[in-house]
Amino acid sequence: MLIEEILVHISEQQRLIVFYTPPQTIDDGFSGGRAFSLGEELVRAEAAVIILISAKGQRVKLQILFKKYVIHEHLAHFSDVLTLLARRCGNLNIFVSSCTADINAFSAIQRLQCCGWCTLYDMGRDLEDMHRLKLLKSYNFQVEATIARSVEGVIAVSTELREKARSFGVDRKIALIPNATALLGEGGGALETKHSFHCEPQYPSGTQIVGYFGSLNPVWLDWPSMVSVARELPTIRFEVIGDGIPEGLCLPENIRIYERGKYKDYKKIISNWSIGVVPLRKNPLSMSIDPIIVYDYLSEGLPVVASPDGPMGDKSNVVIYDGSAAGLRDVVEMALNGDLIYKDFWSSKKTAAWSYRAAALIEFIDEITS
């Protein structure tokens, strides 16, 4: 089913939310990326959702969420899609540039605003620093700043990115909507670790496992600290799931890497972990993100040890170490020995779920368009 056929079935009185976003990466966790996860929840709230995923050659991959969660997917030229979207008018139509700020996003915002659309910029990462670290091929500061100033509202996943939006000269409304997880069950209930404040061995042999899921890029993951800790704790097993194993990496025998493309059943591997770690290199990027994987770890019942990035500092159920190899070793040992007291776990699952974030987004849209 093509987009023009879908648009015919969307009433002018029904809210249409269009996300424009980059392709999903492993840093989007194992529960789904931000745009898609929000989209699923918005469909539950009776909105029609179209996700435009940037592709090569001015093309986009369309994921259309419409009625009963049926997903239609195909490739199209961005300009053709924009022409069709521009036939709809009024602020029941929402365009969200999510975690991307390129010329296509700028063009879409300018054109759709002329048709009365409400436009938003969703800041999920520090794109400027991603480009500096060569994690993003192209970036233009002026384009991002202009997009942030042009839209009716800006969304930020962290206070650091909210401040960056203000540095662009944004004087409009800015909503703080962090990430979440899609792995929580229905209903409320306490979210606690499966270890209930201490870690028990997961294997019959008594082997304890420290796990990491995410990018293996050395500008992102603190490999020196990981390797150092593994060597100092030879009886502990370290398991890493990710893409792009760095060349020349010399690992001790107790570190095993699972390349994402070769292992599809992540949850089976993760179910044996004792704790989940997020040992990132300290830079503006890691200090501003709100890692989805942390929520995914917690939804699986894992205690979390994380480097001192900004948004993690206010989550009391995540243990923060000082960013050094010695600090990581000490906290990992304490966690595995049951010497850490995890206090104030989230009192309700809903605050960690995408449904909670989607409700916040709808509230923000209503505030802007009322």
Side-chain angles (χ1 to χ4, degrees):
M1 188 179 290
L2 300 177
I3 185 172
E4 48 263 51
E5 297 175 67
I6 288 290
L7 289 174
V8 167
H9 290 88
I10 301 175
S11 164
E12 292 293 332
Q13 285 70 50
Q14 183 178 12
R15 179 170 275 162
L16 169 63
I17 302 178
V18 178
F19 289 91
Y20 176 60
T21 187
Q24 186 175 342
T25 70
I26 195 167
D27 292 318
D28 290 313
F30 48 85
S31 64
R34 181 174 172 87
F36 185 80
S37 297
L38 282 171
E40 281 190 315
E41 295 302 330
L42 291 166
V43 168
R44 294 176 190 268
E46 312 236 328
V49 175
I50 297 175
I51 300 175
L52 307 178
I53 303 170
S54 58
K56 293 180 180 179
Q58 294 297 306
R59 293 166 72 87
V60 287
K61 180 180 179 182
L62 278 76
Q63 292 182 332
I64 302 171
L65 286 67
F66 179 65
K67 284 186 178 180
K68 306 296 183 183
Y69 319 106
V70 175
I71 300 174
H72 304 276
E73 191 170 291
H74 67 276
L75 279 171
H77 283 282
F78 186 83
S79 58
D80 294 339
V81 173
L82 190 55
T83 296
L84 292 169
L85 293 176
R87 293 176 183 172
R88 292 178 62 94
C89 297
N91 63 11
L92 280 177
N93 303 291
I94 318 296
F95 179 84
V96 184
S97 181
S98 181
C99 305
T100 188
D102 58 18
I103 293 299
N104 280 341
F106 178 76
S107 300
I109 289 166
Q110 296 294 306
R111 183 166 184 180
L112 296 175
Q113 281 179 333
C114 292
C115 303
W117 283 53
C118 172
T119 60
L120 304 173
Y121 179 41
D122 181 21
M123 298 180 68
R125 301 183 179 98
D126 189 326
L127 300 182
E128 183 180 14
D129 206 54
M130 286 184 70
H131 183 250
R132 182 185 67 81
L133 295 172
K134 299 183 179 178
L135 297 173
L136 191 65
K137 288 184 178 179
S138 61
Y139 170 79
N140 186 296
F141 177 87
Q142 286 302 123
V143 170
E144 184 180 21
T146 302
I147 287 174
R149 290 194 298 266
S150 299
V151 294
E152 280 72 41
V154 172
I155 305 161
V157 302
S158 66
T159 54
E160 288 78 8
L161 286 176
R162 182 173 60 188
E163 290 308 308
K164 180 144 194 171
R166 288 173 177 157
S167 76
F168 289 147
V170 174
D171 57 1
R172 300 168 189 251
K173 296 183 183 296
I174 305 175
L176 185 62
I177 303 179
N179 285 317
T181 182
L183 297 178
L184 297 174
E186 294 296 327
L191 178 63
E192 297 183 350
T193 70
K194 60 186 177 186
H195 310 297
S196 300
F197 307 116
H198 69 280
C199 301
E200 298 291 347
Q202 298 301 299
Y203 282 177
S205 63
T207 302
Q208 294 175 304
I209 303 176
V210 175
Y212 167 78
F213 183 103
S215 172
L216 307 184
N217 192 313
V219 305
W220 178 254
L221 177 60
D222 186 359
W223 275 111
S225 290
M226 280 279 285
V227 171
S228 174
V229 173
R231 284 183 174 144
E232 291 189 42
L233 303 175
T235 62
I236 306 300
R237 184 182 177 114
F238 289 76
E239 294 185 344
V240 175
I241 302 173
D243 292 330
I245 301 174
E247 294 183 6
L249 197 60
C250 184
L251 300 177
E253 292 184 356
N254 59 331
I255 292 184
R256 179 172 180 181
I257 297 179
Y258 295 91
E259 290 187 76
R260 186 173 62 152
K262 297 180 181 178
Y263 296 90
K264 300 298 182 184
D265 193 0
Y266 306 140
K267 291 183 71 174
K268 184 176 181 180
I269 298 171
I270 292 165
S271 67
N272 291 312
W273 290 359
S274 305
I275 59 174
V277 295
V278 189
L280 305 182
R281 286 186 177 274
K282 187 173 182 179
N283 52 50
L285 177 61
S286 66
M287 292 298 292
S288 65
I289 63 166
D290 185 30
I292 293 177
I293 190 59
V294 169
Y295 298 94
D296 289 348
Y297 285 159
L298 291 166
S299 72
E300 289 291 311
L302 288 172
V304 181
V305 171
S307 53
D309 57 87
M312 289 297 99
D314 61 358
K315 291 181 171 58
S316 56
N317 46 348
V318 177
V319 177
I320 305 299
Y321 68 97
D322 62 10
S324 69
L328 177 59
R329 179 203 62 219
D330 291 346
V331 172
V332 165
E333 278 194 299
M334 291 174 70
L336 294 175
N337 291 334
D339 295 332
L340 288 177
I341 302 300
Y342 296 83
K343 296 180 179 180
D344 302 321
F345 284 94
W346 287 318
S347 60
S348 172
K349 286 182 178 181
K350 70 177 183 178
T351 60
W354 282 113
S355 56
Y356 190 78
R357 309 304 190 215
L361 176 58
I362 291 172
E363 183 179 347
F364 183 52
I365 291 171
D366 288 342
E367 182 182 352
I368 292 172
T369 57
S370 62

